[in-house]
Amino acid sequence: MILGTLGWLAAGGVKETASYYKEIAELRKWGRMGVDKRLRVGGDVELNSITREGRDVHFVLVQEKDA
């Protein structure tokens, strides 16, 4: 019974984690409203897109759906 409960809790945690990340397409719909928010965004850093300006780091995120 304990193992069953632990399995159920683990499965529920995986579902919550999967929906925790925002997609790039979703952020585009937000426009400027999403610029200053702390978010987790799914995607890959585009090749050669990382630039540094003092303490700031800028990069471009892409997802396969966007390509």
Side-chain angles (χ1 to χ4, degrees):
M1 178 139 173
I2 293 174
L3 290 177
T5 303
L6 290 175
W8 179 76
L9 289 171
V14 169
K15 289 179 186 174
E16 289 178 17
T17 302
S19 64
Y20 190 68
Y21 291 88
K22 301 294 183 192
E23 291 190 9
I24 294 172
E26 185 177 0
L27 292 179
R28 283 192 181 120
K29 292 178 187 175
W30 288 11
R32 295 289 305 166
M33 290 175 44
V35 171
D36 294 326
K37 298 195 182 294
R38 287 184 60 122
L39 301 167
R40 291 187 181 227
V41 181
D44 297 310
V45 176
E46 187 173 64
L47 187 62
N48 299 319
S49 71
I50 300 173
T51 59
R52 290 177 175 79
E53 297 175 18
R55 295 179 58 176
D56 295 333
V57 178
H58 302 272
F59 55 89
V60 176
L61 281 180
V62 294
Q63 287 180 323
E64 286 186 29
K65 295 177 191 175
D66 290 346

